[in-house]
């Protein structure tokens, strides 16, 4: 749809009607009905102008425009240039090049249908005995009734000037009309908590595609493939139950993340919606928390392997048990002593973790760093993990790490 032309036509149509009323009033005066009609047209015109400006703000991303400057030729040129830059004209894949909007939309939609399709079945299970659990006080806080001030804090804590959802309402709408809609929002949340309503009709979104262009040991820096897209809902649910989350809380979470619908946007065209069967939504503040709950399984597996002597961590001269994993969200580093046997066991753990959670380790984008005498066997480690050899210093959470800083630490 050519929305630039659509808004232009709408504005011209409304302004034409207002002009007709004004001409008529100059000759015959204005009746009550005409005054109301003119007022309604003015409100409709304001709405169309606001929507038009929002579209340009989202496309232009210029600070001056956000602060209220008019849409000049410069801003329109910037926005149109960004639109052209973000267009996808072709895709290279195994069977050849794909061109044309229709073929691109079909191919990309099918790719994401498979990505978000049902996860493959397997017989792997994880004994969750000994996992850290919630206290009774923490459980009570999770399911206590929500207060209006708490809801307001969440709404007003959301960032402005972000793309609205498929319903077209940006965050600013909820903030500006807070005192009109707050009771309705609270009623919606209370009904959800009491299991009176489902959220299936709210659980949908659009995926927009744009083009992109001296201790001996090893550090294995893990790169997860499509972190949120592959995770199994059933495993997240099991982990929450194992940690002692209240049953009703687990049900709330499952209702929010399960059974959503998405559509693919390719070159400003939105395709058909389809149902997802796994994955967490990008940009949802809940997604990183749920990912962390599932990722705890990797720490649990590695700790158990260490207890059974299958691997040994680094730094045992500093800490009795050493350090075998550093984990913050999806930034994960495994640390083991120089041993090909330990490395083989670690890779086996990674494969088990993949089957349990649905998360995929991107081995060819991961890196192995060899310390001390382990550097003599770096090719063997690289082949075992099918990954590239990293070079120190490296960065973890923005902090440079090398052997010198390790010794000083």
């Amino acid at each position: 749809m050519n929305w630039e032309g659509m808004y232009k036509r709408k504005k011209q149509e409304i302004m034409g009607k207002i002009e007709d009323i004004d001409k008529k009033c100059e000759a015959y005066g204005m009746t009550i009905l005409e005054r109301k009609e003119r007022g309604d047209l003015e409100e409709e015109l304001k709405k169309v102008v606001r929507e038009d400006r929002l579209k340009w703000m989202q496309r232009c991303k210029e600070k001056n425009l956000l602060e209220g400057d008019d849409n000049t030729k410069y801003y329109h040129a910037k926005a149109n240039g960004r639109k052209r830059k973000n267009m996808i004209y072709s895709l290279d894949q195994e069977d050849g090049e794909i061109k044309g909007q229709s073929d691109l939309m079909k191919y990309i939609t099918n790719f994401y249908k498979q990505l978000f399709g049902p996860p493959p079945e397997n017989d792997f299970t994880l004994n969750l005995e000994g996992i850290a659990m919630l206290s009774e006080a923490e459980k009570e806080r999770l399911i206590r009734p929500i207060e209006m001030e708490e809801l307001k804090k969440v709404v007003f804590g959301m960032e402005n000037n972000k793309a609205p959802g498929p319903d077209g309402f940006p965050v600013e709408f909820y903030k500006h009309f807070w005192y009109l809609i707050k009771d309705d929002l609270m009623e919606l949340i209370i009904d959800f908590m009491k299991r009176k309503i489902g959220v299936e009709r709210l659980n949908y979104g659009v995926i927009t595609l744009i083009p992109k262009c001296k201790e001996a040991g090893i550090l294995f820096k893990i790169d997860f493939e499509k972190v949120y897209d592959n995770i199994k809902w059933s495993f997240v649910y099991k982990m929450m139950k194992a940690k002692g989350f209240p049953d009703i809380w687990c049900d709330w979470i499952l209702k929010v993340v399960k059974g959503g619908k998405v559509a693919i946007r390719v070159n400003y065209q939105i395709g058909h919606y389809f149902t997802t069967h796994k994955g967490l939504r990008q940009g949802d503040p809940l997604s990183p928390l749920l990912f962390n709950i599932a990722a705890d399984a990797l720490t649990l597996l590695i700790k158990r392997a260490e207890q059974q002597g299958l691997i040994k961590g680094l730094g045992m001269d500093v800490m009795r048990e050493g350090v075998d994993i550093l984990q913050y969200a999806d930034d994960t580093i495994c640390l083991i002593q120089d041993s090909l046997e330990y490395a083989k066991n670690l890779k086996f753990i990674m494969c088990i973790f993949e089957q349990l959670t649905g998360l995929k380790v991107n081995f060819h984008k991961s890196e192995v760093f060899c310390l001390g005498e382990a550097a003599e066997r770096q090719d063997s480690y690289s082949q075992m993990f099918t990954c590239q050899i990293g070079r120190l210093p490296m960065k973890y959470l923005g902090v440079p790490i090398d052997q010198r800083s390790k010794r000083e630490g």
Side-chain angles (χ1 to χ4, degrees):
M1 176 183 291
N2 184 354
W3 57 263
E4 296 99 324
M6 180 188 71
Y7 284 123
K8 185 177 180 179
R9 288 192 298 272
K10 274 189 176 181
K11 286 188 285 186
Q12 290 175 343
E13 180 183 351
I14 296 170
M15 291 172 66
K17 290 180 178 178
I18 292 175
E19 186 177 358
D20 290 340
I21 292 175
D22 289 341
K23 288 179 179 178
K24 184 178 178 181
C25 291
E26 288 176 3
Y28 306 103
M30 184 179 291
T31 65
I32 295 176
L33 289 176
E34 288 170 339
R35 184 178 292 110
K36 182 179 183 304
E37 182 183 0
R38 194 182 192 285
D40 292 341
L41 288 169
E42 286 182 347
E43 289 300 316
E44 187 178 357
L45 180 61
K46 289 179 183 178
K47 180 182 177 182
V48 171
V49 170
R50 178 181 179 276
E51 290 177 354
D52 192 20
R53 288 173 66 87
L54 277 175
K55 286 287 185 180
W56 285 108
M57 280 193 290
Q58 291 162 10
R59 283 177 53 183
C60 189
K61 303 252 179 149
E62 290 291 335
K63 182 179 179 182
N64 289 339
L65 184 59
L66 303 184
E67 293 174 351
D69 284 357
D70 291 333
N71 290 308
T72 63
K73 289 183 179 179
Y74 165 74
Y75 291 117
H76 283 257
K78 289 280 288 184
N80 283 323
R82 182 169 176 266
K83 178 179 179 180
R84 287 190 295 270
K85 183 179 178 181
N86 287 339
M87 291 288 285
I88 298 175
Y89 297 99
S90 64
L91 286 176
D92 290 326
Q93 45 92 37
E94 293 179 357
D95 296 330
E97 188 178 27
I98 299 174
K99 292 182 178 181
Q101 179 67 22
S102 177
D103 289 341
L104 284 169
M105 177 64 77
K106 181 179 178 181
Y107 177 81
I108 295 171
T109 299
N110 286 336
F111 171 83
Y112 278 95
K113 276 186 177 180
Q114 293 178 17
L115 177 64
F116 292 119
E121 299 291 335
N122 60 62
D123 297 326
F124 287 90
T125 58
L126 177 63
N127 180 2
L128 297 172
E129 182 180 351
I131 195 170
M133 297 183 65
L134 299 180
S135 66
E136 291 301 321
E138 289 171 328
K139 294 178 185 179
E140 291 178 6
R141 284 202 299 271
L142 284 174
I143 60 175
R144 66 173 173 77
I146 292 177
E147 299 177 355
M148 184 65 75
E149 192 59 33
E150 185 179 4
L151 178 59
K152 182 180 180 181
K153 185 177 179 181
V154 170
V155 171
F156 283 82
M158 298 172 72
E159 192 173 349
N160 289 338
N161 192 38
K162 294 296 183 181
D167 60 2
F169 291 108
V171 173
E172 292 89 335
F173 169 84
Y174 293 92
K175 293 180 179 179
H176 185 79
F177 295 104
W178 169 251
Y179 290 101
L180 290 176
I181 65 174
K182 62 178 183 178
D183 293 327
D184 292 324
L185 269 180
M186 178 60 78
E187 185 179 356
L188 174 69
I189 292 172
I190 290 174
D191 285 346
F192 170 74
M193 295 177 70
K194 291 181 177 179
R195 302 178 179 177
K196 290 183 177 180
I197 61 169
V199 292
E200 293 80 9
R201 58 182 176 173
L202 305 178
N203 193 1
Y204 63 100
V206 176
I207 300 172
T208 301
L209 297 189
I210 58 175
K212 286 189 177 179
C213 305
K214 195 149 181 192
E215 179 183 30
I218 68 167
L219 280 64
F220 182 51
K221 189 176 182 182
I222 300 173
D223 181 273
F224 287 108
E225 177 183 326
K226 298 187 180 298
V227 176
Y228 293 151
D229 296 343
N230 289 311
I231 197 163
K232 294 180 182 178
W233 300 329
S234 58
F235 187 78
V236 174
Y237 185 81
K238 288 178 183 177
M239 288 294 291
M240 288 193 299
K241 296 282 286 185
K243 286 178 173 289
F245 283 87
D247 290 343
I248 190 170
W249 171 267
C250 296
D251 291 341
W252 290 343
I253 297 298
L254 208 58
K255 283 182 178 294
V256 170
V257 302
K258 188 177 179 181
K261 289 180 169 57
V262 298
I264 310 301
R265 186 199 302 269
V266 181
N267 298 335
Y268 299 91
Q269 178 187 353
I270 299 177
H272 297 293
Y273 283 88
F274 58 88
T275 303
T276 59
H277 297 273
K278 61 182 177 182
L280 304 173
R281 182 168 295 178
Q282 295 278 356
D284 187 340
L286 192 62
S287 295
L289 303 176
L290 298 179
F291 172 84
N292 287 343
I293 290 174
D296 277 351
L298 180 58
T299 301
L300 184 64
L301 288 169
I302 288 178
K303 291 298 181 185
R304 287 181 178 171
E306 185 181 42
Q307 292 169 2
Q308 297 175 24
L310 299 174
I311 61 172
K312 287 186 180 180
L314 296 179
M316 298 186 73
D317 53 335
V318 179
M319 300 175 62
R320 186 178 64 180
E321 297 180 354
V323 178
D324 44 33
I325 184 169
L326 298 174
Q327 196 170 27
Y328 182 83
D330 61 327
D331 290 310
T332 304
I333 295 180
C334 295
L335 308 90
I336 61 172
Q337 293 183 13
D338 179 19
S339 166
L340 291 172
E341 186 66 22
Y342 292 161
K344 182 176 70 174
N345 293 338
L346 178 60
K347 184 166 185 180
F348 182 72
I349 290 171
M350 294 295 171
C351 295
I352 295 295
F353 178 72
E354 287 184 340
Q355 295 297 318
L356 288 168
T357 64
L359 291 167
K360 305 292 184 183
V361 177
N362 217 339
F363 283 101
H364 71 279
K365 286 189 178 180
S366 300
E367 294 179 294
V368 61
F369 298 84
C370 298
L371 312 176
E373 295 179 359
E376 299 174 4
R377 288 170 289 281
Q378 65 179 12
D379 291 336
S380 298
Y381 285 118
S382 176
Q383 292 175 9
M384 180 171 294
F385 288 112
T386 59
C387 70
Q388 54 190 331
I389 300 170
R391 297 285 184 266
L392 294 174
M394 59 171 282
K395 281 191 175 183
Y396 180 67
L397 302 180
V399 179
I401 297 176
D402 59 21
Q403 285 186 278
R404 180 183 173 186
S405 61
K406 173 180 171 294
R407 290 195 297 269
E408 290 175 349

